Amino acid sequence: MKNFNYLILLLFIGNSFMASAQSGKQKKADRLYNDLAYIEAVDVYKELIEKDYNTTYNQSKLGDSYLKLSSPENAVFYYAEAVKDTSISPEYYFKYAQALRGVKRYDESKEWLKKYSSAGKNKAEVDELLSKDIADFKIKDNYTLDKVAFNSGYSDFGAYEHNGVTYLVSARDGGMSKKNKVYSWNGEPFLDVYQLAANSETVSSVTGDINTVLHEGPLAITKDGKYMYFTRNNYLNNKEGKKLKDETNNLKLYRATNNNNSWGDVMDLPFNDTEYSVGNPSLSSDGKTLYFVSDMPNGFGGADLYKVEIMENNMFGNPVNLGNKINTSLDESFPFMAKDSILYFSSNGHPGFGLMDIFKVDLSKETSEVTNIGEPINSNLDDFAYFQKKGSNLGYFASNRDGGAGSDDIYGFNLLKTLILKGQVTDKVNGEPIPNATVRLFTPDNKQLAFLETDTDGNYEQEINRNMKYPIEAKHIQYKEMTGTVDSNNTDDVEELIYNIQLDPIEDVEYLAEINNIYFDFDKSNIRPDAAKELDKLVNLMSNKYPDLVIKIGSHTDKRGSDQYNVGLAERRAQSTYDYLVANGIASGRINAHEGFGEREPAIACDLCSKEEHQLNRRSMFSVVKMK
């Protein structure tokens, strides 16, 4: 990401490297690198490697240069060679892990993070990175994306809308930057702020005194439209401010006043300093707090997020660091305060998909955790500059995912309302709802996503993501298991996805009716009172729950008596069972057969049976012929 990197790395230049090479070419390469002229530095470092001069060092610097240019595929190539040298600084294990993540080689990235941690470096922070898996970020907010029509052939980012006017930061050749004046970091013109009126296709340089010959943007505008807060290199009143020893011109925050739609009266904010950078403004919804990024001293490392109170009479409070839950030892930037105290920001220090990802956190809740907002907003490259329009689910962010050579483009997004999966679990035979059925939903790689239980009406619901396929499973103790697939593709225009489930009853009459066996006294075939209670349950099942259920009856005896006698006794028991059901309203045609099996199929196989075992063998049983 070309121009995002200027915003981050001007904020935090990082450790300098002492040039140890003797040749003038080595000194030239390192000077170009330290001057942020990475494109030119790359060519010189390659020449030195071709001459086999300081090979490991120059490979590592090439990796660094390509990482600055947001070209992780090239960085991976050179880091892979450099880390073969066991004497190299463990810091390069971490850089190599970063680059590997940028090319989606996540498992390898974790291995190099482990090596970095083993070297005793930032163990707690590395452990957090290792503890998270990409799968953890899959089920997040639902977005649809489109590249906007006002992208140019150069880097574009920081889209922001106020009162129908869209502002953006761009390196296009139309602002104060001249064609022959380019930024040595990436070979593009310097950044300027542009605007696009509502219903217009014309992008023009913002009016007034915002743009200069150096970098400007991004920005934020107060609710009343009176003031614009914006980022710029240290440059005021047509004069460049003091540079650091390494000739770096840091960033500052400025405020301009709207005078008849022209921005002027630019003032330097009081917490700026020539020794560190301040930039990337965002305003709270009430306009009383300004959020920004800075590498000022006593932070957590890299660029951190801060807030400052805006008071009356052009006064400001003291900047307050947002703390180590949000800030890491690497870089956080591009804060955007949305409604309901939701802060969006970009970071390469929290676990993510690649280089720079977009995260969110609810500042109104102390227990709120930093959350990666997932795909499709985030990618394996740099994703940043999130902005959501007031009172709308529409907004913008920037990414270099498709730009080639690290070029940034603006994407429009629609934050779709949560998709709710809803359904009812019913009996396939009679259509009745099934309470207390369990419904399990799985991710596409078969990890359990949700374990649900239907309510008294058989209903269930679960929040899911769009454009995915989820395996689903439904169970109930009285029904056969059902498996299927919930397809949430092509659901952008709906907020609910209905997936009803029908379960087949198990073909077990005793289980369905929740009845005990029908038992008989010794040498008797009459229906006992306890048996009548159980048969009444069967009558209820066949009359009310399954009016088309067809069964057959099988009756049995104990071992006492001859085979012939026991067959006759069993037939009499089957007949009495049949007669009871018919007498209580069950049509005879729904009893397919009533047979006596004598002692041939005992429940308890025994030679010297006890009294209790004999009783268990004197019974009538039921089986399903058809359910419907």
Side-chain angles (χ1 to χ4, degrees):
M1 177 180 55
K2 293 180 178 178
N3 287 296
F4 167 76
N5 283 319
Y6 112 79
L7 290 166
I8 288 295
L9 290 173
L10 285 178
L11 290 168
F12 182 66
I13 300 302
N15 296 326
S16 61
F17 294 87
M18 291 185 65
S20 60
Q22 297 298 315
S23 75
K25 185 169 286 188
Q26 183 73 75
K27 291 179 180 179
K28 177 183 178 182
D30 291 338
R31 184 177 66 253
L32 288 168
Y33 181 90
N34 292 330
D35 288 344
L36 314 183
Y38 299 118
I39 291 179
E40 296 176 61
V42 161
D43 291 335
V44 184
Y45 284 130
K46 285 182 178 179
E47 290 177 17
L48 290 165
I49 290 175
E50 288 175 1
K51 295 178 180 179
D52 201 24
Y53 188 87
N54 282 351
T55 303
T56 297
Y57 174 79
N58 288 309
Q59 286 169 337
S60 66
K61 296 301 290 182
L62 267 172
D64 292 344
S65 299
Y66 278 120
L67 207 55
K68 308 291 189 191
L69 293 167
S70 290
S71 180
E73 65 279 3
N74 285 313
V76 161
F77 178 82
Y78 287 103
Y79 282 148
E81 294 300 315
V83 296
K84 290 177 181 178
D85 187 336
T86 56
S87 66
I88 198 168
S89 167
E91 299 296 329
Y92 277 95
Y93 299 162
F94 188 85
K95 290 181 178 182
Y96 186 31
Q98 276 189 301
L100 286 167
R101 195 170 58 173
V103 292
K104 301 183 180 181
R105 289 161 60 179
Y106 299 116
D107 290 340
E108 292 176 71
S109 176
K110 285 190 172 184
E111 290 304 312
W112 285 97
L113 282 175
K114 290 176 184 176
K115 291 182 181 181
Y116 178 67
S117 181
S118 297
K121 303 293 185 178
N122 295 336
K123 188 176 189 316
E125 196 163 284
V126 172
D127 286 347
E128 182 188 359
L129 292 172
L130 290 171
S131 69
K132 298 293 179 68
D133 191 87
I134 296 301
D136 298 335
F137 313 135
K138 295 296 185 183
I139 311 300
K140 300 298 177 186
D141 296 328
N142 294 283
Y143 292 87
T144 58
L145 310 182
D146 285 299
K147 274 189 182 180
V148 299
F150 49 83
N151 281 311
S152 69
Y154 296 95
S155 288
D156 304 283
F157 63 96
Y160 177 94
E161 185 173 298
H162 185 271
N163 288 345
V165 177
T166 300
Y167 299 84
L168 64 142
V169 183
S170 179
R172 68 189 68 202
D173 193 23
M176 293 292 293
S177 303
K178 306 302 181 184
K179 284 186 177 180
N180 61 351
K181 184 169 184 177
V182 297
Y183 187 33
S184 58
W185 183 316
N186 52 31
E188 288 191 346
F190 279 67
L191 297 165
D192 284 324
V193 177
Y194 292 81
Q195 65 184 32
L196 177 71
N199 303 316
S200 171
E201 297 181 358
T202 302
V203 176
S204 58
S205 179
V206 70
T207 56
D209 300 326
I210 302 298
N211 292 325
T212 67
V213 295
L214 298 183
H215 288 297
E216 283 79 34
L219 61 101
I221 298 175
T222 56
K223 187 186 301 185
D224 59 10
K226 183 177 181 180
Y227 297 118
M228 174 194 289
Y229 293 92
F230 68 99
T231 310
R232 180 197 281 170
N233 282 121
N234 185 1
Y235 191 97
L236 187 63
N237 298 323
N238 296 316
K239 183 178 179 181
E240 188 171 354
K242 177 184 175 183
K243 292 183 179 181
L244 299 179
K245 292 180 181 179
D246 62 3
E247 294 300 304
T248 300
N249 184 320
N250 274 341
L251 300 174
K252 286 189 174 184
L253 273 178
Y254 297 88
R255 193 189 73 182
T257 302
N258 189 347
N259 297 309
N260 297 319
N261 295 320
S262 180
W263 298 99
D265 301 326
V266 176
M267 63 170 279
D268 190 345
L269 296 191
F271 47 87
N272 287 321
D273 196 291
T274 56
E275 298 302 313
Y276 54 80
S277 284
V278 181
N280 299 174
S282 179
L283 290 164
S284 60
S285 57
D286 61 7
K288 295 181 179 180
T289 305
L290 179 67
Y291 294 86
F292 62 93
V293 63
S294 177
D295 66 332
M296 65 177 64
N298 302 316
F300 293 96
D304 281 0
L305 299 183
Y306 290 81
K307 66 179 179 179
V308 66
E309 182 183 1
I310 301 174
M311 300 182 290
E312 296 180 356
N313 300 319
N314 296 328
M315 300 293 289
F316 294 83
N318 294 319
V320 176
N321 189 294
L322 295 189
N324 63 358
K325 181 168 73 173
I326 292 173
N327 293 312
T328 69
S329 63
L330 297 182
D331 296 311
E332 283 67 47
S333 194
F334 289 97
F336 170 71
M337 179 57 74
K339 61 181 181 179
D340 303 323
S341 300
I342 305 298
L343 175 70
Y344 291 85
F345 64 97
S346 292
S347 172
N348 59 5
H350 290 280
F353 288 90
L355 301 183
M356 187 71 62
D357 274 6
I358 297 173
F359 299 82
K360 69 176 182 179
V361 63
D362 188 344
L363 295 185
S364 68
K365 300 177 181 178
E366 290 187 7
T367 58
S368 178
E369 295 297 322
V370 171
T371 303
N372 187 303
I373 66 172
E375 295 175 322
I377 292 286
N378 288 321
S379 69
N380 61 303
L381 295 181
D382 292 305
D383 309 291
F384 61 104
Y386 184 100
F387 169 79
Q388 191 170 330
K389 300 178 185 180
K390 183 179 178 181
S392 169
N393 286 336
L394 303 177
Y396 304 105
F397 76 102
S399 179
N400 63 350
R401 64 190 65 183
D402 294 327
S407 182
D408 310 318
D409 283 314
I410 296 170
Y411 291 78
F413 68 73
N414 182 7
L415 174 54
L416 302 174
K417 291 185 177 180
T418 300
L419 179 63
I420 302 297
L421 171 66
K422 285 181 150 185
Q424 185 182 40
V425 180
T426 57
D427 188 306
K428 189 174 183 179
V429 174
N430 58 28
E432 292 296 317
I434 303 175
N436 306 121
T438 59
V439 178
R440 291 203 299 164
L441 197 67
F442 299 88
T443 61
D445 56 355
N446 288 316
K447 293 183 179 179
Q448 183 172 296
L449 173 65
F451 183 89
L452 312 169
E453 188 172 285
T454 57
D455 61 18
T456 54
D457 295 319
N459 295 317
Y460 74 95
E461 67 176 60
Q462 169 68 28
E463 178 180 322
I464 63 171
N465 209 343
R466 289 175 164 83
N467 302 314
M468 298 184 76
K469 290 185 178 181
Y470 299 99
I472 192 169
E473 168 197 278
K475 288 182 178 180
H476 189 280
I477 197 168
Q478 294 182 342
Y479 295 86
K480 297 176 182 178
E481 178 182 324
M482 187 285 308
T483 59
T485 302
V486 175
D487 188 344
S488 65
N489 287 289
N490 302 314
T491 58
D492 290 352
D493 297 328
V494 300
E495 296 176 24
E496 293 182 351
L497 176 60
I498 306 301
Y499 189 88
N500 294 320
I501 298 170
Q502 292 182 321
L503 296 183
D504 284 304
I506 59 173
E507 295 184 354
D508 187 325
V509 174
E510 286 95 343
Y511 210 86
L512 291 173
E514 298 181 358
I515 62 175
N516 297 313
N517 286 339
I518 309 303
Y519 293 112
F520 297 87
D521 291 332
F522 173 68
D523 202 22
K524 302 291 185 182
S525 61
N526 61 292
I527 301 300
R528 300 185 330 200
D530 61 322
K533 289 181 180 179
E534 301 306 317
L535 288 173
D536 288 343
K537 295 178 184 177
L538 180 55
V539 170
N540 180 61
L541 179 77
M542 297 181 71
S543 300
N544 299 317
K545 192 168 184 179
Y546 297 112
D548 296 317
L549 174 63
V550 177
I551 66 169
K552 63 180 179 180
I553 302 168
S555 297
H556 308 268
T557 69
D558 59 30
K559 293 187 68 173
R560 292 173 290 186
S562 67
D563 288 346
Q564 184 178 1
Y565 180 83
N566 283 340
V567 169
L569 178 59
E571 288 175 349
R572 292 193 296 274
R573 288 173 175 172
Q575 185 66 45
S576 63
T577 305
Y578 169 87
D579 291 342
Y580 187 93
L581 294 175
V582 171
N584 283 276
I586 302 303
S588 60
R590 296 179 61 200
I591 303 173
N592 180 267
H594 49 291
E595 301 177 71
F597 295 94
E599 61 183 83
R600 296 196 306 271
E601 299 178 6
I604 304 295
C606 51
D607 292 326
L608 297 174
C609 300
S610 66
K611 180 180 178 181
E612 291 77 14
E613 290 170 333
H614 281 310
Q615 175 64 93
L616 292 174
N617 285 329
R618 300 192 301 264
R619 71 206 189 279
S620 282
M621 299 184 70
F622 311 92
S623 57
V624 172
V625 175
K626 68 174 184 176
M627 294 293 297
K628 188 173 182 179

